[in-house]
Amino acid sequence: MPMGLKVCHLVLSLILMDLSKWVNGAEQVPCYFIFGDSLWDNGNNNALSTKAKANYPPYGIDFPEGATGRFTNGRNMGDILAQLLGFENFIPSFAHASNAKDQEILRGVNYASGGAGIRNETTRNNLGPVISMDMQLQNHQNTASRIAKILGNSEESAAKHLSKCIYSVGIGNNDYINNYLLPQFYPTNSSYTPDQYATVLIQQYSLQLKTLYNFGARKVALFGLGLIGCTPGCIAMYGNGTSCVEYINNEVQMFNTKLVSLVDELNNNFQDTKFIYVNTSSVSSSVPATVINTSPCCEVGNLTANNGVLTCIPSGTACPNRAEHIMWDAAHPTEAAYVMMAERSYKAQLPSDTYPIDIHHLAQLNLTN
Ligand SMILES: *[C@@H]1O[C@H](CO)[C@@H](O)[C@H](O)[C@H]1NC(C)=O
Ligand SMILES: *[C@@H]1O[C@H](CO)[C@@H](O)[C@H](O)[C@H]1NC(C)=O
Ligand SMILES: *[C@@H]1O[C@H](CO)[C@@H](O)[C@H](O)[C@H]1NC(C)=O
Ligand SMILES: *[C@@H]1O[C@H](CO)[C@@H](O)[C@H](O)[C@H]1NC(C)=O
Ligand SMILES: CC(=O)N[C@H]1CO[C@H](CO)[C@@H](O)[C@@H]1O
């Protein structure tokens, strides 16, 4: 299958190796904070009584520490972006923050939780409790207090430090997959048309981003939703087993369009701040949509019968040619696909990849308060 991806992955691996040589110990920003869902989770769900977890083999088959709770075979989006930003170590999970040294906390925390959504009830009714965006922001408040203590009991010093960091937020996929698309568990589909639903999601997201701003965030990358209708899980559950489910992609696109408008609005309202939009379908577009591999790399259960469990079977098999696969399980990309997406969000290759600037330029910005 995707020869293009294989070649691309090889080239990108070389770029990553090269980059790590000369930026080693030279972070472009002092800190990086991560909010989001399973594309970003690095172990925050491990101790929760939820079905939305990935801390068992074959997850982590290509990760040095094995199955850590990352929903892929190797590094995830946040890991690769941290490396591109010049960090020597991955950003620690909030679940382990209490064990982390002060110096580590100053470099950032990862709050992301598999299954999490903009809405608090998302995923709860079908898979169990997860850490919603509101709860991730509450956890960030704890971190902000700790940082104020570290910096001499000064909230002002904390806000100043936090203003220099990069923030990435990737949330909203589950408000569709584990909410709007499951009317047997959630009332949203009978309450809202797709356009109304996108609007209420964006309104709530807007408040959440203002909260993040109030904690000091000034450089924020917002990741748009992916082509959910093309994931193996959606194709199995809502399609005819072969092609992308277009009505789902259209619903997700309504959200993305409104998110771009929100980026404009926030940048107009907060002159000392830059929000950017990462177009997830654009940054994954080296692989033509027509060759999206509908078979996950790992062994998954009966997708049409399981109310949204899209993860690998515990101790199931994994395909040997993982660098050639886009999808790792029924919902999550492989590390190879994440490398491609992270690289293009960091340095845009097409004008449609990021708006108005890419993460590399966001990091370089000199914003005055
Ligand atoms: C989210 O819902 C849970 C369970 O109903 C509740 O315990 C929690 O306080 C809610 N969190 C927020 C931020 O609303
Ligand atoms: C169903 O699958 C066939 C190929 O087997 C395809 O030609 C057709 O467009 C699909 N229909 C829908 C509604 O996706
Ligand atoms: C995202 O990129 C695709 C091209 O892959 C483009 O068709 C689409 O309009 C872009 N969406 C937004 C919201 O910029
Ligand atoms: C998967 O589950 C569906 C719905 O329960 C059932 O109709 C189908 O036969 C199952 N497929 C397999 C391969 O077991
Ligand atoms: C998944 C989905 O969008 N289902 C339905 C939700 O309700 C509208 C009517 O407002 C239907 O058109 C959708 O198909």
Side-chain angles (χ1 to χ4, degrees):
M1 227 239 347
M3 255 336 261
L5 181 61
K6 191 180 180 187
V7 171
C8 190
H9 179 223
L10 257 172
V11 172
L12 290 176
S13 301
L14 293 174
I15 292 170
L16 282 175
M17 274 165 49
D18 249 26
L19 202 63
S20 66
K21 255 182 236 151
W22 72 267
V23 296
N24 217 1
E27 295 104 357
Q28 294 163 47
V29 285
C31 34
Y32 173 32
F33 288 89
I34 300 168
F35 296 80
D37 55 26
S38 53
L39 273 62
W40 307 85
D41 188 348
N42 63 347
N44 286 308
N45 280 12
N46 292 355
L48 300 182
S49 59
T50 180
K51 286 184 194 154
K53 52 169 74 183
N55 56 341
Y56 56 83
Y59 287 99
I61 188 171
D62 299 312
F63 196 78
E65 294 151 53
T68 56
R70 288 167 169 83
F71 287 73
T72 186
N73 56 308
R75 293 164 296 162
N76 67 18
M77 285 292 285
D79 297 327
I80 300 161
L81 273 173
Q83 290 180 322
L84 289 166
L85 286 165
F87 289 90
E88 260 184 89
N89 298 310
F90 297 134
I91 303 300
S93 66
F94 180 75
H96 284 115
S98 56
N99 300 327
K101 296 194 185 81
D102 287 351
Q103 285 311 311
E104 282 180 80
I105 296 302
L106 289 174
R107 288 206 180 85
V109 175
N110 181 340
Y111 306 98
S113 164
I118 292 168
R119 294 171 72 87
N120 191 30
E121 85 272 13
T122 288
T123 300
R124 235 166 244 286
N125 301 351
N126 60 312
L127 298 181
V130 296
I131 309 164
S132 67
M133 185 62 191
D134 281 337
M135 295 163 98
Q136 292 182 32
L137 286 163
Q138 285 173 12
N139 292 340
H140 185 53
Q141 185 166 25
N142 287 355
T143 303
S145 305
R146 180 168 168 190
I147 287 177
K149 260 192 211 123
I150 297 169
L151 300 177
N153 279 322
S154 164
E155 275 182 31
E156 204 186 319
S157 303
K160 193 170 178 205
H161 178 76
L162 290 169
S163 73
K164 296 176 192 151
C165 318
I166 291 278
Y167 297 77
S168 67
V169 190
I171 197 111
N173 293 300
N174 291 299
D175 295 295
Y176 288 89
I177 300 171
N178 287 304
N179 190 325
Y180 197 67
L181 296 174
L182 298 176
Q184 65 273 43
F185 291 99
Y186 302 90
T188 45
N189 185 259
S190 45
S191 312
Y192 303 110
T193 66
D195 187 62
Q196 287 169 340
Y197 188 60
T199 299
V200 295
L201 285 180
I202 290 291
Q203 282 167 348
Q204 191 172 351
Y205 199 11
S206 170
L207 295 177
Q208 290 163 342
L209 294 170
K210 283 168 191 162
T211 301
L212 187 60
Y213 171 87
N214 287 335
F215 288 130
R218 296 295 179 268
K219 297 180 171 188
V220 187
L222 305 177
F223 281 72
L225 308 187
L227 293 175
I228 292 169
C230 296
T231 57
C234 276
I235 290 173
M237 288 193 285
Y238 309 108
N240 66 3
T242 49
S243 46
C244 297
V245 186
E246 288 309 329
Y247 78 89
I248 297 178
N249 285 344
N250 292 341
E251 290 175 2
V252 161
Q253 201 47 41
M254 290 176 194
F255 176 93
N256 285 340
T257 303
K258 292 178 202 289
L259 184 55
V260 176
S261 304
L262 178 61
V263 163
D264 281 336
E265 186 193 313
L266 292 168
N267 285 333
N268 287 335
N269 290 351
F270 304 114
Q271 300 284 332
D272 59 347
T273 304
K274 196 64 133 185
F275 287 86
I276 69 163
Y277 169 76
V278 176
N279 183 337
T280 304
S281 53
S282 184
V283 297
S284 31
S285 67
S286 298
V287 185
T290 47
V291 299
I292 280 184
N293 189 344
T294 57
S295 56
C297 172
C298 76
E299 208 178 333
V300 294
N302 183 345
L303 297 173
T304 55
N306 60 12
N307 296 326
V309 179
L310 305 173
T311 40
C312 308
I313 291 175
S315 299
T317 56
C319 67
N321 51 341
R322 294 183 286 279
E324 294 169 25
H325 273 251
I326 302 163
M327 296 306 293
W328 163 248
D329 60 17
H332 304 104
T334 54
E335 178 185 56
Y338 280 141
V339 167
M340 177 174 72
M341 290 161 63
E343 170 71 19
R344 283 178 61 174
S345 64
Y346 181 72
K347 278 204 174 160
Q349 283 171 23
L350 295 177
S352 55
D353 284 352
T354 60
Y355 173 83
I357 55 174
D358 59 22
I359 293 175
H360 172 69
H361 285 100
L362 184 65
Q364 305 305 316
L365 277 189
N366 206 345
L367 297 161
T368 46
N369 276 317

